[in-house]
Amino acid sequence: MSWLDFFRANRKPEPDSAAQAKERLQILLAHERIGRTREDFLPRLQQDLVAVVARYVAIDPAKVNVALDRGNDISTLAIEIELPSVRSAPAGAVEAARA
Amino acid sequence: MAQVIVVTSGKGGVGKTTTSAAFATGLAQAGKKTVVIDFDVGLRNLDLIMGVERRVVFDIVNVIQGEARLNQALIRDKRIENLSILPASQTRDKDALTKEGVNEIIEELSKDNDFILCDSPAGIEKGALLALYFADHAIVVTNPEVSSVRDSDRILGVLQSKSKRAEEKRDKVKEHLLVTRYDPNRVERGEMLKLEDVREILAIPLLGVIPENESVLRASNTGMPVILDGESIAGQAYKDAVSRFLGQELPHRFLEPEKKPGLLRRLFGGRAA
Ligand SMILES: Nc1ncnc2c1ncn2[C@@H]1O[C@H](COP(=O)(O)OP(=O)(O)OP(=O)(O)O)[C@@H](O)[C@H]1O
Ligand SMILES: [Mg+2]
């Protein structure tokens, strides 16, 4: 072992990755334990939402984005639906929206 | 009536088979009549770890399909009395196992054994579900690592909903946490989850901690369950865990890094030789 190695071995350790592992697991498992008894509702939520919005605006189901961010205290669910530009909206949809 | 113990984990490669071999051997050494069943149909390995691979004639699938009697398929251990092994099939797939078939085998083995150990395959598919279905106890083998802890949590959920005890609404399967491949040096450096963290997250009673140790590979090379290596720290940790399972209270060992050589030894020790 050289003198340099000796000093290197005594350097302060890198930030603690084990602590991050613990925190990530605690958040994840808290959610997974709740969801264990019922099936994942997100796909159905997305379907329902698209159906409701489609009653008013013509939307492309492929242009719907659902993003979930599970946090410690709060979780957020972001739903992004791309609306067609006014010009490309089919007449039927505008009619339906007025009805 | 025998007690049925499943050794399970969800995640693969965490040490289930190593643990099954060690535990079965340790229980038999303690005078308990013990049989250990390999449920990993298609990927039989317990026979190798137990050192009986050259004596396998029939397997669990042969018994279930009526091609052999249970007594013909059981291999009696030559080193230790009271211990026998029921190997898995190497050529069939997991669908060859049926709940009825496994039930019959376990009932028959129950008559003249104290413990029936079930070495579960990885995953939460048919083979793993059958291995845990009849369990009274579950040894949940967990490495101090995120995916292993997550999968252990998952398998705890399965034990609470899909075991026979859960289905019949009897007392739940008794859970025991066994942390394996624990490396105190890496824990000290903050690179590996601490024992306390794993305990806190999974929140089930701790049966033991098996250190990461070279002796495990050595034992598997020679087909000798590591618990028979009294010199090795992994062997000793397994011995302690078996004693705890049988009701003894023992402190947990090998949780701290081995003492580092002193300053002078570090500076000059290496060159002196
Ligand atoms: N305490 C330990 N120290 C060092 N190596 C270990 C330890 N425990 C297990 N191993 C090694 O880890 C590997 C996997 O072990 P084992 O076969 O027991 O896992 P398993 O959970 O049964 O795997 P599978 O899910 O494939 O059935 C083996 O190479 C074994 O030697
Ligand atoms: Mg295995």
Side-chain angles (χ1 to χ4, degrees), chain A residues 1 3 6 9-10 13 16-18 21-22 25-26 28-29 32-33 36, chain B residues 146 149-150 153-154 157 190-193 197 200-202 263 266-267 271:
Chain A
M1 185 189 264
W3 279 96
F6 173 74
N10 277 342
D16 192 328
S17 67
K22 181 185 184 189
L25 273 169
Q26 281 176 321
L28 175 69
L29 294 185
E32 285 189 346
R33 283 169 188 157
R36 207 176 260 162
Chain B
V146 283
V149 174
R150 179 199 211 171
D153 195 70
R154 193 82 198 280
E191 297 171 4
M192 185 180 261
L193 282 165
D197 295 344
E200 183 187 331
I201 292 168
L202 290 176
L263 175 68
R266 277 176 76 188
L267 286 177
R271 265 175 271 176

PDB file of all heavy atoms in Angstrom, chain A residues 1 3 6 9-10 13 16-18 21-22 25-26 28-29 32-33 36, chain B residues 146 149-150 153-154 157 190-193 197 200-202 263 266-267 271:
ATOM      1  N   MET A   1       0.851  -1.199   0.000  1.00  0.00           N
ATOM      2  CA  MET A   1       0.000   0.000   0.000  1.00  0.00           C
ATOM      3  C   MET A   1       0.887   1.249   0.000  1.00  0.00           C
ATOM      4  O   MET A   1       1.821   1.363   0.797  1.00  0.00           O
ATOM      5  CB  MET A   1      -0.874  -0.025   1.271  1.00  0.00           C
ATOM      6  CG  MET A   1      -1.877   1.110   1.311  1.00  0.00           C
ATOM      7  SD  MET A   1      -2.676   1.160   2.914  1.00  0.00           S
ATOM      8  CE  MET A   1      -4.160   0.250   2.585  1.00  0.00           C
ATOM      9  N   TRP A   3       1.779   5.470   0.248  1.00  0.00           N
ATOM     10  CA  TRP A   3       1.341   6.542   1.144  1.00  0.00           C
ATOM     11  C   TRP A   3       0.056   7.186   0.631  1.00  0.00           C
ATOM     12  O   TRP A   3      -0.851   7.480   1.387  1.00  0.00           O
ATOM     13  CB  TRP A   3       2.439   7.602   1.247  1.00  0.00           C
ATOM     14  CG  TRP A   3       3.482   7.186   2.216  1.00  0.00           C
ATOM     15  CD1 TRP A   3       4.664   6.573   1.949  1.00  0.00           C
ATOM     16  CD2 TRP A   3       3.412   7.321   3.629  1.00  0.00           C
ATOM     17  NE1 TRP A   3       5.338   6.317   3.101  1.00  0.00           N
ATOM     18  CE2 TRP A   3       4.590   6.767   4.153  1.00  0.00           C
ATOM     19  CE3 TRP A   3       2.459   7.855   4.491  1.00  0.00           C
ATOM     20  CZ2 TRP A   3       4.845   6.737   5.507  1.00  0.00           C
ATOM     21  CZ3 TRP A   3       2.728   7.822   5.848  1.00  0.00           C
ATOM     22  CH2 TRP A   3       3.907   7.270   6.352  1.00  0.00           C
ATOM     23  N   PHE A   6      -2.965   5.272   1.406  1.00  0.00           N
ATOM     24  CA  PHE A   6      -3.299   5.370   2.823  1.00  0.00           C
ATOM     25  C   PHE A   6      -4.200   6.579   3.070  1.00  0.00           C
ATOM     26  O   PHE A   6      -5.206   6.496   3.755  1.00  0.00           O
ATOM     27  CB  PHE A   6      -2.020   5.493   3.640  1.00  0.00           C
ATOM     28  CG  PHE A   6      -2.287   5.755   5.094  1.00  0.00           C
ATOM     29  CD1 PHE A   6      -2.753   4.729   5.912  1.00  0.00           C
ATOM     30  CD2 PHE A   6      -2.115   7.012   5.643  1.00  0.00           C
ATOM     31  CE1 PHE A   6      -3.018   4.963   7.241  1.00  0.00           C
ATOM     32  CE2 PHE A   6      -2.390   7.253   6.965  1.00  0.00           C
ATOM     33  CZ  PHE A   6      -2.832   6.219   7.781  1.00  0.00           C
ATOM     34  N   ALA A   9      -7.707   6.128   1.484  1.00  0.00           N
ATOM     35  CA  ALA A   9      -8.594   5.230   2.229  1.00  0.00           C
ATOM     36  C   ALA A   9      -9.280   5.971   3.370  1.00  0.00           C
ATOM     37  O   ALA A   9     -10.336   5.557   3.833  1.00  0.00           O
ATOM     38  CB  ALA A   9      -7.801   4.045   2.774  1.00  0.00           C
ATOM     39  N   ASN A  10      -8.680   7.068   3.818  1.00  0.00           N
ATOM     40  CA  ASN A  10      -9.265   7.781   4.947  1.00  0.00           C
ATOM     41  C   ASN A  10     -10.115   8.967   4.535  1.00  0.00           C
ATOM     42  O   ASN A  10     -10.599   9.709   5.371  1.00  0.00           O
ATOM     43  CB  ASN A  10      -8.149   8.262   5.883  1.00  0.00           C
ATOM     44  CG  ASN A  10      -7.749   7.143   6.814  1.00  0.00           C
ATOM     45  OD1 ASN A  10      -8.495   6.182   6.969  1.00  0.00           O
ATOM     46  ND2 ASN A  10      -6.574   7.241   7.396  1.00  0.00           N
ATOM     47  N   PRO A  13     -16.342   9.521   2.987  1.00  0.00           N
ATOM     48  CA  PRO A  13     -17.063   8.691   2.016  1.00  0.00           C
ATOM     49  C   PRO A  13     -17.972   9.532   1.119  1.00  0.00           C
ATOM     50  O   PRO A  13     -18.351  10.632   1.481  1.00  0.00           O
ATOM     51  CB  PRO A  13     -17.877   7.749   2.886  1.00  0.00           C
ATOM     52  CG  PRO A  13     -17.979   8.426   4.214  1.00  0.00           C
ATOM     53  CD  PRO A  13     -16.750   9.266   4.371  1.00  0.00           C
ATOM     54  N   ASP A  16     -24.293   9.068   0.880  1.00  0.00           N
ATOM     55  CA  ASP A  16     -24.723   7.742   1.247  1.00  0.00           C
ATOM     56  C   ASP A  16     -25.835   7.209   0.327  1.00  0.00           C
ATOM     57  O   ASP A  16     -26.965   7.672   0.384  1.00  0.00           O
ATOM     58  CB  ASP A  16     -25.225   7.926   2.684  1.00  0.00           C
ATOM     59  CG  ASP A  16     -25.446   6.643   3.370  1.00  0.00           C
ATOM     60  OD1 ASP A  16     -25.806   5.681   2.687  1.00  0.00           O
ATOM     61  OD2 ASP A  16     -25.265   6.615   4.592  1.00  0.00           O
ATOM     62  N   SER A  17     -25.520   6.237  -0.523  1.00  0.00           N
ATOM     63  CA  SER A  17     -26.535   5.733  -1.442  1.00  0.00           C
ATOM     64  C   SER A  17     -27.522   4.809  -0.727  1.00  0.00           C
ATOM     65  O   SER A  17     -28.658   4.649  -1.149  1.00  0.00           O
ATOM     66  CB  SER A  17     -25.892   5.013  -2.629  1.00  0.00           C
ATOM     67  OG  SER A  17     -25.254   3.838  -2.200  1.00  0.00           O
ATOM     68  N   ALA A  18     -27.077   4.194   0.378  1.00  0.00           N
ATOM     69  CA  ALA A  18     -27.982   3.313   1.115  1.00  0.00           C
ATOM     70  C   ALA A  18     -29.163   4.096   1.681  1.00  0.00           C
ATOM     71  O   ALA A  18     -30.287   3.602   1.718  1.00  0.00           O
ATOM     72  CB  ALA A  18     -27.225   2.607   2.241  1.00  0.00           C
ATOM     73  N   ALA A  21     -31.635   4.490  -0.965  1.00  0.00           N
ATOM     74  CA  ALA A  21     -32.335   3.215  -1.188  1.00  0.00           C
ATOM     75  C   ALA A  21     -33.480   3.078  -0.195  1.00  0.00           C
ATOM     76  O   ALA A  21     -34.604   2.725  -0.557  1.00  0.00           O
ATOM     77  CB  ALA A  21     -31.352   2.055  -1.037  1.00  0.00           C
ATOM     78  N   LYS A  22     -33.185   3.420   1.055  1.00  0.00           N
ATOM     79  CA  LYS A  22     -34.207   3.280   2.087  1.00  0.00           C
ATOM     80  C   LYS A  22     -35.398   4.203   1.800  1.00  0.00           C
ATOM     81  O   LYS A  22     -36.553   3.778   1.853  1.00  0.00           O
ATOM     82  CB  LYS A  22     -33.614   3.621   3.449  1.00  0.00           C
ATOM     83  CG  LYS A  22     -34.618   3.466   4.580  1.00  0.00           C
ATOM     84  CD  LYS A  22     -34.048   3.932   5.890  1.00  0.00           C
ATOM     85  CE  LYS A  22     -35.050   3.672   7.001  1.00  0.00           C
ATOM     86  NZ  LYS A  22     -34.633   4.308   8.255  1.00  0.00           N
ATOM     87  N   LEU A  25     -37.485   3.036  -1.153  1.00  0.00           N
ATOM     88  CA  LEU A  25     -38.283   1.848  -0.820  1.00  0.00           C
ATOM     89  C   LEU A  25     -39.486   2.215   0.043  1.00  0.00           C
ATOM     90  O   LEU A  25     -40.587   1.704  -0.172  1.00  0.00           O
ATOM     91  CB  LEU A  25     -37.415   0.838  -0.068  1.00  0.00           C
ATOM     92  CG  LEU A  25     -36.632  -0.130  -0.932  1.00  0.00           C
ATOM     93  CD1 LEU A  25     -35.628  -0.893  -0.094  1.00  0.00           C
ATOM     94  CD2 LEU A  25     -37.575  -1.105  -1.644  1.00  0.00           C
ATOM     95  N   GLN A  26     -39.261   3.095   1.019  1.00  0.00           N
ATOM     96  CA  GLN A  26     -40.379   3.430   1.912  1.00  0.00           C
ATOM     97  C   GLN A  26     -41.536   4.064   1.146  1.00  0.00           C
ATOM     98  O   GLN A  26     -42.690   3.736   1.377  1.00  0.00           O
ATOM     99  CB  GLN A  26     -39.885   4.354   3.026  1.00  0.00           C
ATOM    100  CG  GLN A  26     -39.155   3.568   4.100  1.00  0.00           C
ATOM    101  CD  GLN A  26     -38.574   4.457   5.177  1.00  0.00           C
ATOM    102  OE1 GLN A  26     -38.061   5.525   4.881  1.00  0.00           O
ATOM    103  NE2 GLN A  26     -38.641   4.017   6.417  1.00  0.00           N
ATOM    104  N   LEU A  28     -42.155   3.810  -2.163  1.00  0.00           N
ATOM    105  CA  LEU A  28     -42.714   2.840  -3.112  1.00  0.00           C
ATOM    106  C   LEU A  28     -43.627   1.829  -2.413  1.00  0.00           C
ATOM    107  O   LEU A  28     -44.749   1.579  -2.855  1.00  0.00           O
ATOM    108  CB  LEU A  28     -41.564   2.115  -3.818  1.00  0.00           C
ATOM    109  CG  LEU A  28     -41.976   0.987  -4.747  1.00  0.00           C
ATOM    110  CD1 LEU A  28     -42.680   1.555  -5.966  1.00  0.00           C
ATOM    111  CD2 LEU A  28     -40.772   0.162  -5.179  1.00  0.00           C
ATOM    112  N   LEU A  29     -43.123   1.265  -1.311  1.00  0.00           N
ATOM    113  CA  LEU A  29     -43.886   0.189  -0.673  1.00  0.00           C
ATOM    114  C   LEU A  29     -45.160   0.712  -0.013  1.00  0.00           C
ATOM    115  O   LEU A  29     -46.173   0.015   0.015  1.00  0.00           O
ATOM    116  CB  LEU A  29     -43.006  -0.555   0.334  1.00  0.00           C
ATOM    117  CG  LEU A  29     -41.845  -1.314  -0.321  1.00  0.00           C
ATOM    118  CD1 LEU A  29     -41.074  -2.123   0.702  1.00  0.00           C
ATOM    119  CD2 LEU A  29     -42.341  -2.241  -1.432  1.00  0.00           C
ATOM    120  N   GLU A  32     -47.444   0.578  -2.860  1.00  0.00           N
ATOM    121  CA  GLU A  32     -47.751  -0.773  -3.358  1.00  0.00           C
ATOM    122  C   GLU A  32     -48.625  -1.551  -2.383  1.00  0.00           C
ATOM    123  O   GLU A  32     -49.428  -2.378  -2.774  1.00  0.00           O
ATOM    124  CB  GLU A  32     -46.449  -1.537  -3.641  1.00  0.00           C
ATOM    125  CG  GLU A  32     -45.782  -1.063  -4.919  1.00  0.00           C
ATOM    126  CD  GLU A  32     -44.622  -1.926  -5.360  1.00  0.00           C
ATOM    127  OE1 GLU A  32     -44.135  -2.757  -4.558  1.00  0.00           O
ATOM    128  OE2 GLU A  32     -44.193  -1.778  -6.498  1.00  0.00           O
ATOM    129  N   ARG A  33     -48.437  -1.277  -1.084  1.00  0.00           N
ATOM    130  CA  ARG A  33     -49.242  -2.014  -0.103  1.00  0.00           C
ATOM    131  C   ARG A  33     -50.710  -1.617  -0.188  1.00  0.00           C
ATOM    132  O   ARG A  33     -51.589  -2.444  -0.022  1.00  0.00           O
ATOM    133  CB  ARG A  33     -48.712  -1.749   1.306  1.00  0.00           C
ATOM    134  CG  ARG A  33     -47.458  -2.544   1.577  1.00  0.00           C
ATOM    135  CD  ARG A  33     -46.784  -2.111   2.847  1.00  0.00           C
ATOM    136  NE  ARG A  33     -45.493  -2.764   2.983  1.00  0.00           N
ATOM    137  CZ  ARG A  33     -44.502  -2.291   3.720  1.00  0.00           C
ATOM    138  NH1 ARG A  33     -44.652  -1.171   4.386  1.00  0.00           N
ATOM    139  NH2 ARG A  33     -43.374  -2.941   3.787  1.00  0.00           N
ATOM    140  N   ARG A  36     -52.355  -3.210  -3.269  1.00  0.00           N
ATOM    141  CA  ARG A  36     -52.278  -4.652  -3.385  1.00  0.00           C
ATOM    142  C   ARG A  36     -53.638  -5.301  -3.531  1.00  0.00           C
ATOM    143  O   ARG A  36     -53.813  -6.289  -4.211  1.00  0.00           O
ATOM    144  CB  ARG A  36     -51.599  -5.180  -2.124  1.00  0.00           C
ATOM    145  CG  ARG A  36     -50.877  -6.464  -2.312  1.00  0.00           C
ATOM    146  CD  ARG A  36     -50.172  -6.819  -1.019  1.00  0.00           C
ATOM    147  NE  ARG A  36     -48.779  -6.479  -1.041  1.00  0.00           N
ATOM    148  CZ  ARG A  36     -48.026  -6.372   0.059  1.00  0.00           C
ATOM    149  NH1 ARG A  36     -48.559  -6.552   1.242  1.00  0.00           N
ATOM    150  NH2 ARG A  36     -46.756  -6.087  -0.037  1.00  0.00           N
TER     151      ARG A  36
ATOM    152  N   VAL B 146     -32.434  -2.930  -3.006  1.00  0.00           N
ATOM    153  CA  VAL B 146     -33.801  -2.446  -3.224  1.00  0.00           C
ATOM    154  C   VAL B 146     -34.732  -3.463  -3.876  1.00  0.00           C
ATOM    155  O   VAL B 146     -35.861  -3.654  -3.426  1.00  0.00           O
ATOM    156  CB  VAL B 146     -33.855  -1.120  -4.032  1.00  0.00           C
ATOM    157  CG1 VAL B 146     -33.491   0.067  -3.157  1.00  0.00           C
ATOM    158  CG2 VAL B 146     -32.988  -1.158  -5.258  1.00  0.00           C
ATOM    159  N   VAL B 149     -35.725  -6.313  -1.475  1.00  0.00           N
ATOM    160  CA  VAL B 149     -36.637  -5.893  -0.404  1.00  0.00           C
ATOM    161  C   VAL B 149     -38.050  -5.699  -0.967  1.00  0.00           C
ATOM    162  O   VAL B 149     -39.044  -6.134  -0.383  1.00  0.00           O
ATOM    163  CB  VAL B 149     -36.143  -4.593   0.265  1.00  0.00           C
ATOM    164  CG1 VAL B 149     -37.165  -4.080   1.276  1.00  0.00           C
ATOM    165  CG2 VAL B 149     -34.802  -4.829   0.951  1.00  0.00           C
ATOM    166  N   ARG B 150     -38.139  -5.083  -2.126  1.00  0.00           N
ATOM    167  CA  ARG B 150     -39.447  -4.882  -2.735  1.00  0.00           C
ATOM    168  C   ARG B 150     -40.140  -6.221  -3.008  1.00  0.00           C
ATOM    169  O   ARG B 150     -41.322  -6.403  -2.717  1.00  0.00           O
ATOM    170  CB  ARG B 150     -39.292  -4.122  -4.046  1.00  0.00           C
ATOM    171  CG  ARG B 150     -40.618  -3.905  -4.720  1.00  0.00           C
ATOM    172  CD  ARG B 150     -40.443  -3.585  -6.169  1.00  0.00           C
ATOM    173  NE  ARG B 150     -41.496  -2.698  -6.657  1.00  0.00           N
ATOM    174  CZ  ARG B 150     -41.476  -2.138  -7.845  1.00  0.00           C
ATOM    175  NH1 ARG B 150     -40.460  -2.331  -8.663  1.00  0.00           N
ATOM    176  NH2 ARG B 150     -42.465  -1.378  -8.235  1.00  0.00           N
ATOM    177  N   ASP B 153     -41.446  -7.872   0.076  1.00  0.00           N
ATOM    178  CA  ASP B 153     -42.698  -7.246   0.501  1.00  0.00           C
ATOM    179  C   ASP B 153     -43.868  -7.805  -0.301  1.00  0.00           C
ATOM    180  O   ASP B 153     -44.938  -8.108   0.220  1.00  0.00           O
ATOM    181  CB  ASP B 153     -42.604  -5.734   0.306  1.00  0.00           C
ATOM    182  CG  ASP B 153     -43.713  -5.007   1.054  1.00  0.00           C
ATOM    183  OD1 ASP B 153     -43.658  -4.992   2.294  1.00  0.00           O
ATOM    184  OD2 ASP B 153     -44.633  -4.486   0.401  1.00  0.00           O
ATOM    185  N   ARG B 154     -43.633  -7.973  -1.566  1.00  0.00           N
ATOM    186  CA  ARG B 154     -44.630  -8.531  -2.467  1.00  0.00           C
ATOM    187  C   ARG B 154     -45.002  -9.953  -2.048  1.00  0.00           C
ATOM    188  O   ARG B 154     -46.175 -10.316  -1.984  1.00  0.00           O
ATOM    189  CB  ARG B 154     -43.967  -8.525  -3.845  1.00  0.00           C
ATOM    190  CG  ARG B 154     -44.786  -8.745  -5.035  1.00  0.00           C
ATOM    191  CD  ARG B 154     -45.504  -7.502  -5.507  1.00  0.00           C
ATOM    192  NE  ARG B 154     -46.582  -7.912  -6.393  1.00  0.00           N
ATOM    193  CZ  ARG B 154     -46.395  -8.234  -7.666  1.00  0.00           C
ATOM    194  NH1 ARG B 154     -45.212  -8.134  -8.226  1.00  0.00           N
ATOM    195  NH2 ARG B 154     -47.408  -8.639  -8.404  1.00  0.00           N
ATOM    196  N   GLY B 157     -47.231 -10.159   0.855  1.00  0.00           N
ATOM    197  CA  GLY B 157     -48.620  -9.937   0.469  1.00  0.00           C
ATOM    198  C   GLY B 157     -49.253 -11.215  -0.074  1.00  0.00           C
ATOM    199  O   GLY B 157     -50.409 -11.532   0.224  1.00  0.00           O
ATOM    200  N   GLY B 190     -21.866   2.992   3.736  1.00  0.00           N
ATOM    201  CA  GLY B 190     -23.098   3.611   3.249  1.00  0.00           C
ATOM    202  C   GLY B 190     -23.490   3.136   1.870  1.00  0.00           C
ATOM    203  O   GLY B 190     -24.283   3.766   1.174  1.00  0.00           O
ATOM    204  N   GLU B 191     -22.951   1.980   1.448  1.00  0.00           N
ATOM    205  CA  GLU B 191     -23.245   1.484   0.099  1.00  0.00           C
ATOM    206  C   GLU B 191     -24.341   0.431   0.112  1.00  0.00           C
ATOM    207  O   GLU B 191     -24.804   0.002  -0.944  1.00  0.00           O
ATOM    208  CB  GLU B 191     -22.002   0.821  -0.512  1.00  0.00           C
ATOM    209  CG  GLU B 191     -20.840   1.736  -0.704  1.00  0.00           C
ATOM    210  CD  GLU B 191     -19.599   0.945  -1.100  1.00  0.00           C
ATOM    211  OE1 GLU B 191     -19.666  -0.278  -1.284  1.00  0.00           O
ATOM    212  OE2 GLU B 191     -18.556   1.584  -1.194  1.00  0.00           O
ATOM    213  N   MET B 192     -24.684  -0.038   1.297  1.00  0.00           N
ATOM    214  CA  MET B 192     -25.648  -1.142   1.372  1.00  0.00           C
ATOM    215  C   MET B 192     -26.639  -0.841   2.467  1.00  0.00           C
ATOM    216  O   MET B 192     -26.276  -0.265   3.507  1.00  0.00           O
ATOM    217  CB  MET B 192     -24.882  -2.438   1.674  1.00  0.00           C
ATOM    218  CG  MET B 192     -25.706  -3.692   1.681  1.00  0.00           C
ATOM    219  SD  MET B 192     -24.712  -5.157   2.049  1.00  0.00           S
ATOM    220  CE  MET B 192     -24.423  -5.799   0.422  1.00  0.00           C
ATOM    221  N   LEU B 193     -27.897  -1.202   2.245  1.00  0.00           N
ATOM    222  CA  LEU B 193     -28.932  -0.988   3.254  1.00  0.00           C
ATOM    223  C   LEU B 193     -28.520  -1.626   4.576  1.00  0.00           C
ATOM    224  O   LEU B 193     -28.045  -2.760   4.602  1.00  0.00           O
ATOM    225  CB  LEU B 193     -30.248  -1.612   2.793  1.00  0.00           C
ATOM    226  CG  LEU B 193     -31.066  -0.851   1.762  1.00  0.00           C
ATOM    227  CD1 LEU B 193     -32.121  -1.760   1.151  1.00  0.00           C
ATOM    228  CD2 LEU B 193     -31.728   0.368   2.398  1.00  0.00           C
ATOM    229  N   ASP B 197     -32.580  -0.850   8.619  1.00  0.00           N
ATOM    230  CA  ASP B 197     -33.450  -0.325   7.564  1.00  0.00           C
ATOM    231  C   ASP B 197     -34.331  -1.434   6.986  1.00  0.00           C
ATOM    232  O   ASP B 197     -35.533  -1.268   6.804  1.00  0.00           O
ATOM    233  CB  ASP B 197     -32.611   0.287   6.430  1.00  0.00           C
ATOM    234  CG  ASP B 197     -31.827   1.504   6.903  1.00  0.00           C
ATOM    235  OD1 ASP B 197     -32.164   2.033   7.978  1.00  0.00           O
ATOM    236  OD2 ASP B 197     -30.888   1.911   6.197  1.00  0.00           O
ATOM    237  N   GLU B 200     -36.951  -2.364   9.466  1.00  0.00           N
ATOM    238  CA  GLU B 200     -37.974  -1.335   9.608  1.00  0.00           C
ATOM    239  C   GLU B 200     -38.940  -1.374   8.422  1.00  0.00           C
ATOM    240  O   GLU B 200     -40.152  -1.270   8.579  1.00  0.00           O
ATOM    241  CB  GLU B 200     -37.287   0.032   9.702  1.00  0.00           C
ATOM    242  CG  GLU B 200     -38.239   1.185   9.930  1.00  0.00           C
ATOM    243  CD  GLU B 200     -37.515   2.524   9.829  1.00  0.00           C
ATOM    244  OE1 GLU B 200     -36.295   2.583  10.129  1.00  0.00           O
ATOM    245  OE2 GLU B 200     -38.172   3.510   9.434  1.00  0.00           O
ATOM    246  N   ILE B 201     -38.414  -1.569   7.224  1.00  0.00           N
ATOM    247  CA  ILE B 201     -39.250  -1.529   6.029  1.00  0.00           C
ATOM    248  C   ILE B 201     -40.154  -2.757   5.952  1.00  0.00           C
ATOM    249  O   ILE B 201     -41.345  -2.654   5.683  1.00  0.00           O
ATOM    250  CB  ILE B 201     -38.372  -1.411   4.764  1.00  0.00           C
ATOM    251  CG1 ILE B 201     -37.688  -0.039   4.739  1.00  0.00           C
ATOM    252  CG2 ILE B 201     -39.200  -1.605   3.502  1.00  0.00           C
ATOM    253  CD1 ILE B 201     -36.588   0.086   3.708  1.00  0.00           C
ATOM    254  N   LEU B 202     -39.600  -3.934   6.196  1.00  0.00           N
ATOM    255  CA  LEU B 202     -40.416  -5.142   6.039  1.00  0.00           C
ATOM    256  C   LEU B 202     -41.241  -5.443   7.290  1.00  0.00           C
ATOM    257  O   LEU B 202     -42.292  -6.085   7.204  1.00  0.00           O
ATOM    258  CB  LEU B 202     -39.538  -6.330   5.659  1.00  0.00           C
ATOM    259  CG  LEU B 202     -38.960  -6.235   4.238  1.00  0.00           C
ATOM    260  CD1 LEU B 202     -38.024  -7.402   3.956  1.00  0.00           C
ATOM    261  CD2 LEU B 202     -40.064  -6.195   3.188  1.00  0.00           C
ATOM    262  N   LEU B 263      -2.915   1.159  12.823  1.00  0.00           N
ATOM    263  CA  LEU B 263      -2.218   2.119  11.985  1.00  0.00           C
ATOM    264  C   LEU B 263      -0.846   1.613  11.544  1.00  0.00           C
ATOM    265  O   LEU B 263      -0.522   1.629  10.355  1.00  0.00           O
ATOM    266  CB  LEU B 263      -2.065   3.439  12.754  1.00  0.00           C
ATOM    267  CG  LEU B 263      -1.248   4.520  12.042  1.00  0.00           C
ATOM    268  CD1 LEU B 263      -1.990   5.019  10.819  1.00  0.00           C
ATOM    269  CD2 LEU B 263      -0.955   5.679  12.991  1.00  0.00           C
ATOM    270  N   ARG B 266      -1.025  -1.100   9.073  1.00  0.00           N
ATOM    271  CA  ARG B 266      -1.444  -0.653   7.739  1.00  0.00           C
ATOM    272  C   ARG B 266      -0.283  -0.008   7.016  1.00  0.00           C
ATOM    273  O   ARG B 266      -0.156  -0.115   5.808  1.00  0.00           O
ATOM    274  CB  ARG B 266      -2.610   0.335   7.865  1.00  0.00           C
ATOM    275  CG  ARG B 266      -3.932  -0.391   8.005  1.00  0.00           C
ATOM    276  CD  ARG B 266      -5.041   0.572   8.227  1.00  0.00           C
ATOM    277  NE  ARG B 266      -5.427   1.269   6.983  1.00  0.00           N
ATOM    278  CZ  ARG B 266      -6.285   2.273   7.002  1.00  0.00           C
ATOM    279  NH1 ARG B 266      -6.782   2.705   8.132  1.00  0.00           N
ATOM    280  NH2 ARG B 266      -6.613   2.840   5.861  1.00  0.00           N
ATOM    281  N   LEU B 267       0.563   0.677   7.731  1.00  0.00           N
ATOM    282  CA  LEU B 267       1.668   1.379   7.086  1.00  0.00           C
ATOM    283  C   LEU B 267       2.795   0.433   6.698  1.00  0.00           C
ATOM    284  O   LEU B 267       3.361   0.526   5.622  1.00  0.00           O
ATOM    285  CB  LEU B 267       2.212   2.468   8.021  1.00  0.00           C
ATOM    286  CG  LEU B 267       1.305   3.690   8.141  1.00  0.00           C
ATOM    287  CD1 LEU B 267       1.899   4.673   9.135  1.00  0.00           C
ATOM    288  CD2 LEU B 267       1.127   4.350   6.780  1.00  0.00           C
ATOM    289  N   ARG B 271       4.574  -4.744   3.887  1.00  0.00           N
ATOM    290  CA  ARG B 271       5.908  -4.873   3.300  1.00  0.00           C
ATOM    291  C   ARG B 271       6.829  -5.760   4.119  1.00  0.00           C
ATOM    292  O   ARG B 271       7.842  -6.227   3.614  1.00  0.00           O
ATOM    293  CB  ARG B 271       6.532  -3.487   3.129  1.00  0.00           C
ATOM    294  CG  ARG B 271       6.313  -2.943   1.736  1.00  0.00           C
ATOM    295  CD  ARG B 271       6.830  -1.549   1.641  1.00  0.00           C
ATOM    296  NE  ARG B 271       5.779  -0.620   2.002  1.00  0.00           N
ATOM    297  CZ  ARG B 271       5.965   0.686   2.094  1.00  0.00           C
ATOM    298  NH1 ARG B 271       7.166   1.202   1.901  1.00  0.00           N
ATOM    299  NH2 ARG B 271       4.963   1.463   2.383  1.00  0.00           N
TER     300      ARG B 271
END
